[in-house]
Amino acid sequence: MKKILITGATGQIGSELTPVLRAKYGNQNVIAAGHRREPDAELTESGPFCSLDVRVAPAVEAVVAKHGIDTIFHLASLLSAVAEQKPQHAWDINVNGLINVLETARTRNCSVFFPSSIGAFGPLTPADDTPQDTIQHPTTMYGITKVCGELLCGYYQKHFGVDTRGVRYPGLISYRTPPGGGTTDYAVEIFYAALKNRHYDCFLKADTRLDMMYMPDAIDAAIRLMEFDGKRLIHRNGYNVTAMSVSPADIAREIKKRLPDFTVGYRIDPVRQGIAESWPRHMDDSVARNEWGWKPQFDLPAMVEDMIRHLSSRLTAP
Ligand code: VAH
């Protein structure tokens, strides 16, 4: 990787991947591109930033040509809950945006990282120890766009030789940039609420278990996969990767060990509860571990400790 473009750089993953890649490859070699969210000062002052609507093919091509890009981390996407409110818009961004990136990668010989999700699975998928290769049939527009994305990346690799790679991320937890419009957002909101108010009303049921991952591990997975010897990869796209399978009650209990007066309530959002129940509880990620050395560093206690440490200086209740 010499010249990198990150689409969706102002989002939850992009805002953390950008500084890590800039530290590794040089600030001027990592172009951050965003569209909906305004970039923060760190993003714009540490290296090149441009506004980019991935739905506009000539705009994608122009950015790649201007900067001589050889690697694209394509993160621009609508998340699950907001995609259910605007399904056609989600298809436009998540699929037409990806096709534009893949077409540019084909003509400009770029490698592409594409993040799929546990959302690419559905109610017919084995919910525990979900295999790498299994039935998907998602019932959300978000999941349909992610399965389509996995298949498109595989097609462009097989038919055009484009170096596409990707993982199926679980819910991602981070303290820098809150996610927007996701079903797993509760796992981030709970920390802000615990530190500000010592109470959180969760929109998922207490026992709703889902795969989760702390952002440093998610960043490591993306970079490790993209730096790995492509000739040794078999699956290439949509690798199951996870770090922990937890419920809101599990996270609340771990927070309470550090904030004894924290309490949690439940105000269920039927839409996001329905989405969560259509996803697996725990994926088998042994294929990623065997093929390219995937290994998470943060379990539930370590993640909670680090989240509270980083957020407490900003949000501690008086
Ligand atoms: C969402 N955070 O909730 C995303 C993610 C597995 C969930 O894809 O939509």
Side-chain angles (χ1 to χ4, degrees), residues 107-122:
T107 57
R108 293 277 172 175
N109 192 29
C110 302
S111 298
V112 177
F113 174 82
F114 170 75
S116 184
S117 160
I118 56 174
F121 295 117

Side-chain angles (χ1 to χ4, degrees), residues 12 79-81 116-119 142 169-172 179 181-185 279:
Q12 186 190 17
L79 297 182
S80 57
S116 184
S117 160
I118 56 174
Y142 176 72
Y169 277 132
L172 298 182
T183 300
T184 60
D185 293 0
W279 293 348

Side-chain angles (χ1 to χ4, degrees), residues 116-122 125 136-138 142-143 146-147 150 168 279:
S116 184
S117 160
I118 56 174
F121 295 117
T125 304
Q136 293 180 255
H137 287 199
Y142 176 72
K146 288 304 182 183
V147 170
E150 291 179 20
R168 290 176 188 135
W279 293 348

